[in-house]
Amino acid sequence: MLQLRLLKPNASIMNKFIALLIPAFLMLYACQQAEQISIEPGVSIDLAKQRFNDISHIKYQLELTIPDSIEGKIEGKSIISLHKKSIKTPLIFDFVSSPQKIKEVLVNDNKAFYSLENEHLVIPPRFLKKGENEIEISYILGDEALHRNDQYLYSLFVPAKARTTIPCFDQPDLKASITYVISMPQQLTAITNGQQEYMEEISHNRKLVRYASSHPISTYLWAFTVGAYQKITQKRNGREISIYHMEKDSAQILRNTPAIFDQVFHSINWLEDYTEVDFPFSKYDLVCIPSFQFAGMEHPGAIYYRSDLLFLSKKPTQQQLLRRAQLLAHETAHMWFGDLVTMKWFSGVWQKEVFANFMADKIVEEQFPQLNHQLTFLTNHFPASYSVDRSRGANPIQQRLTNLKDAGSMYGNIIYHKAPIMMHQLEHLTGKEQLRNGLSQYLKKYSYGNATWTHLIEILNDFSEYDLQLWSNTWIHETGRPIIRFHFEDDQLVIKQQPEYGDTSKIWAQRIKYCRINDSKETNEEVELLSAKTSIEEVLQKPEYILPTINESGYGLFLMDKNSLTYATMHINSWDDELTRGAMLIQLYENFLHGEIAPSAYLNMLQTIVVNEHNEQVLNLACSQLIDVFWRFTTQSTRLKYAKKMEETLLKRFSISKISSIQKLLFNTWTQIVTSHTGLQKLKQVIEKAEIYNFTLSDRDLSQAVLHLALKDETIDQHFVISFANQLKNEEIKNKLLFVSPVFSPNETDLDRFVENLQYKENRKKENWVLTALSFLHHPYRNEHSLKYVEQALELTSSIQQTGDIFFPIGWLNNTLGGYGSFEAMEIIDYFFKDNPGYPDDLKRKILQSADMVKRSHLIKEKYLHPYLQTPNL
Ligand SMILES: [Zn+2]
């Protein structure tokens, strides 16, 4: 257990402290008296508070008519019953609509007047009464959050997009049950939050289906999808689970369904045991959507998954298998954490994500006993968290949010990856069993309701001798990470920490491990860092080398001295323990990105890892660093020098490897870095034969290979991509390749037109296709021709945030700026900020997060190419 001496202060100080920390909006909730509220676009916090106090006991019935052609308009009728406290205030629905789309509004069976104001439908008080009211609204559904394809459509309302489709109170703390009644073409199947209850044929080609009312859930969890779904059902111990899918490859379905069912049933049982709370909803259905833009989304009763993440191709890598298990466990954990107990406001969205990840890590640990889960935790969370936290755009775990229209910007690596690291430390601090107990109480106390982090900490504080609120303050409310250095001064070892940027008083209280080496003898130690300077008096001899974080704890940039860095890069392959090798590789990369190691030396070290490393997770980490360093930290002229040797190393390791998942990893790395003439010739042959050294490649692997060949081989262009795509059976991969193909046109006007078209939101509907296209358009191999498109991409970011899904803005920026590392690119970003002085803070942070590597790439190349020039600090 972590022994931090954060003992609780006396009660009166503590109470004052907690009072200060209670989020301001909670206090405002209590004294909210205002009866008139200004109506602004989105869902403002003031409106949310007013409604929370005024309305309750909400139930929705949603009647939909899906037209014969899935592209057509959907007619809807919402019947909403609710209890209203005040007769003086209007009833304000969130609804982005237009007068032409609203047919009729009835209140308590009488026709009522209403107004449409700034994305709201407002019913004046004179039509309403105190107590029970029933409102019936007939309208055409809005399209923004309805995703359509040739054969299917699905709603996706997270974080606050239900209001763009349906009139509702789109805030997470007004939970309500929803009942769907759907009229649809006979051959289609609909899946909703509720169980199918009743079906009737209403004409020769149409049917009407009614679904059971859901439990009380927040509006962002509503879901309905209609399509030509196939259904596979399994029943175990009285529990029935169905997978709905549209996969065509029957062998692929057969191969994957047993593992999917096993993992879902196991996750549910595990969570029931851990939480002591039964599965909280009436059904668990998996809906596999081919073009789903996220990995998964936790709608109770209709959990969406991206099809290809569950239905894996032959010979999946260990990473793919692990990722699938983590995804299934993550979404299942949300049934308790997020769906049963929900954050009160979207600034607390990280809570549901941190619990889902935390539970998923534990669940998967049992499913993959052969893996080193400390290493998985380390490789999953630390690099991703550092990727944001090392930038000047880093955000704290808990962010400010005044309007739900901006809720999408809450998401990112900090909530998904830094929060689990914080949670891991919390478990050390409270003890495993105490934390489990606290979480169980928390779920029971706030079932089908809402809770904040403060509510949980109040419960956990009873189990702990430490002041958890004080401890979590830096971790949750502050940005960034510490820089930690080891010194030997005044005959003792001293460890100093300071924030990487800004306020120097911040301390990340934590326990770290390090290793000191004298005369080739390694001594491993653990130490608590509770202040800016920690002295270790027992160490009397100056260590020759000091290596940090020899395990999965210890968060920050551990800057090593020159000798220790050289020692670590020389010995990276010689430590027996894979966790040590993984931890060291992560810290070496952070030192590299700080400019402490030359790119050529780092590439040489990575090459030795490719030759020697047998642990797939460490090898995977090395390969992803290899791709980054190769493309971003070398110049066009020096790159070819490394390419040939690197390609040969990867292929040689591939040819002697017996493990298919490692071969797959090596093949994918090779296709990404191959640039030499002979390498490209080989890649072409591999694509023609669809195999390499008797290893048969899947359509997905081949399609990636085709894109990389089209990028680098000047003898081929977009027609090569198009003809390859047209041979594919898998419609999703085929259409994606066809969408991306114009990027490979040698004709500049084709590229201009492609980029021009991205201005229009209808051309950005398939977000993962757009991201793939951008990654090739701005690829370092060709980006001197694409630099001119960067400015427009930056300008579009705010429209991307308004019209796209939650991960799209950062994906858009990463895939655009990801190719650059030049002074010119840095200048474009600087000018963009100068030209837009009032740019929204959340988006500015996102740009700074992506721009961080542009700057590092430029400065590190400068430093090692022109060592005689003064390079500014990183
Ligand atoms: Zn999640």
Side-chain angles (χ1 to χ4, degrees), residues 428-671:
H428 275 292
L429 210 58
T430 54
K432 277 189 178 172
E433 187 51 24
Q434 285 87 336
L435 181 67
R436 194 199 62 74
N437 246 318
L439 287 173
S440 172
Q441 281 194 25
Y442 163 85
L443 288 173
K444 287 171 190 161
K445 187 169 176 184
Y446 298 103
S447 278
Y448 302 107
N450 303 79
T452 64
W453 178 250
T454 310
H455 290 133
L456 174 67
I457 291 295
E458 276 168 14
I459 292 174
L460 290 180
N461 250 333
D462 290 344
F463 291 99
S464 173
E465 58 185 304
Y466 303 110
D467 180 352
L468 299 180
Q469 193 73 66
L470 188 62
W471 168 84
S472 72
N473 230 5
T474 309
W475 285 96
I476 289 171
H477 297 282
E478 299 284 359
T479 57
R481 61 178 186 175
I483 293 185
I484 297 170
R485 290 183 174 88
F486 297 82
H487 304 268
F488 194 79
E489 48 187 55
D490 302 329
D491 293 335
Q492 58 186 13
L493 183 64
V494 174
I495 306 171
K496 291 180 182 168
Q497 70 159 294
Q498 69 180 96
E500 196 161 4
Y501 308 112
D503 176 13
T504 51
S505 66
K506 286 188 270 188
I507 299 295
W508 284 260
Q510 57 175 314
R511 163 157 284 218
I512 65 158
K513 285 191 182 176
Y514 68 94
C515 172
R516 59 193 161 81
I517 301 164
N518 284 92
D519 303 327
S520 309
K521 185 173 171 283
E522 295 185 358
T523 313
N524 289 298
E525 307 270 11
E526 283 188 46
V527 61
E528 292 163 9
L529 304 185
L530 302 177
S531 56
K533 184 176 171 183
T534 307
S535 301
I536 302 164
E537 287 158 14
E538 308 85 71
V539 180
L540 301 173
Q541 188 192 358
K542 183 176 183 198
E544 282 172 68
Y545 314 106
I546 300 185
L547 309 177
T549 61
I550 303 299
N551 70 346
E552 85 286 16
S553 81
Y555 185 78
L557 163 60
F558 291 79
L559 269 188
M560 292 186 238
D561 62 71
K562 279 266 169 294
N563 286 343
S564 302
L565 270 179
T566 310
Y567 183 90
T569 49
M570 302 293 285
H571 287 77
I572 184 85
N573 297 299
S574 63
W575 282 292
D576 290 339
D577 175 26
E578 59 210 15
L579 185 61
T580 303
R581 298 197 300 276
M584 192 49 68
L585 189 54
I586 290 173
Q587 271 309 322
L588 283 172
Y589 193 51
E590 293 308 310
N591 277 266
F592 166 75
L593 292 177
H594 198 260
E596 308 299 318
I597 309 172
S600 55
Y602 204 78
L603 277 173
N604 284 337
M605 179 195 75
L606 290 172
Q607 195 162 335
T608 68
I609 299 176
V610 170
V611 174
N612 294 294
E613 183 57 59
H614 290 283
N615 178 285
E616 191 176 330
Q617 285 163 293
V618 180
L619 185 61
N620 189 48
L621 188 64
C623 285
S624 73
Q625 290 185 5
L626 178 68
I627 295 163
D628 262 5
V629 179
F630 180 78
W631 284 116
R632 306 199 67 164
F633 295 92
T634 61
T635 56
Q636 199 82 301
S637 54
T638 55
R639 198 172 292 138
L640 262 181
K641 205 173 77 192
Y642 305 115
K644 209 159 181 282
K645 206 168 156 207
M646 210 64 90
E647 291 165 17
E648 282 166 7
T649 306
L650 285 160
L651 281 188
K652 188 163 179 221
R653 177 77 200 270
F654 181 99
S655 67
I656 54 171
S657 181
K658 303 265 183 300
I659 301 166
S660 63
S661 55
I662 288 190
Q663 288 179 303
K664 207 163 187 157
L665 168 64
L666 293 164
F667 174 74
N668 287 328
T669 310
W670 176 69
T671 54

Side-chain angles (χ1 to χ4, degrees), residues 256-269:
N256 286 286
T257 42
I260 299 172
F261 279 121
D262 283 351
Q263 282 159 2
V264 171
F265 278 111
H266 174 258
S267 298
I268 293 176
N269 293 339

Side-chain angles (χ1 to χ4, degrees), residues 296-298 327 330-331 334 337 349 352-354 356-357 411 416 807:
M297 178 61 209
E298 69 264 22
L327 172 62
H330 177 105
E331 301 308 333
H334 271 315
F337 297 97
V349 68
K352 76 178 177 75
E353 295 311 323
V354 74
N357 269 347
Y411 291 82
Y416 284 99
F807 302 110

Side-chain angles (χ1 to χ4, degrees), residues 670 678-692 697 702 709 720:
W670 176 69
T678 39
L680 292 172
Q681 290 299 105
K682 171 103 185 156
L683 181 59
K684 212 171 189 172
Q685 290 162 10
V686 166
I687 292 168
E688 276 162 17
K689 288 202 215 148
E691 61 160 51
I692 175 166
L697 296 159
L702 282 170
L709 183 68
F720 182 81

Side-chain angles (χ1 to χ4, degrees), residues 13 27 64 101 336 481 488 509 558 560 660 704 715 776 872:
I13 299 174
M27 310 229 277
L64 303 175
K101 287 187 174 172
W336 285 260
R481 61 178 186 175
F488 194 79
F558 291 79
M560 292 186 238
S660 63
Q704 276 304 308
T715 64
F776 284 97

Side-chain angles (χ1 to χ4, degrees), residues 231-236 239-244 253 256-269 284-286 310-311 324 328 367:
K231 180 182 178 184
I232 310 168
T233 301
Q234 265 207 20
K235 198 170 180 176
R236 294 186 195 173
R239 177 171 286 132
E240 196 173 279
I241 291 175
S242 298
I243 300 175
Y244 290 87
I253 299 165
N256 286 286
T257 42
I260 299 172
F261 279 121
D262 283 351
Q263 282 159 2
V264 171
F265 278 111
H266 174 258
S267 298
I268 293 176
N269 293 339
Y284 184 119
D285 283 343
L286 302 91
L310 299 196
F311 293 103
R324 175 172 72 185
L328 289 165
Q367 293 171 350

Side-chain angles (χ1 to χ4, degrees), residues 734-748:
K734 174 181 161 179
N735 291 332
K736 181 175 176 174
L737 289 187
L738 294 176
F739 177 87
V740 175
S741 62
V743 164
F744 303 102
S745 167
N747 191 337
E748 199 171 335

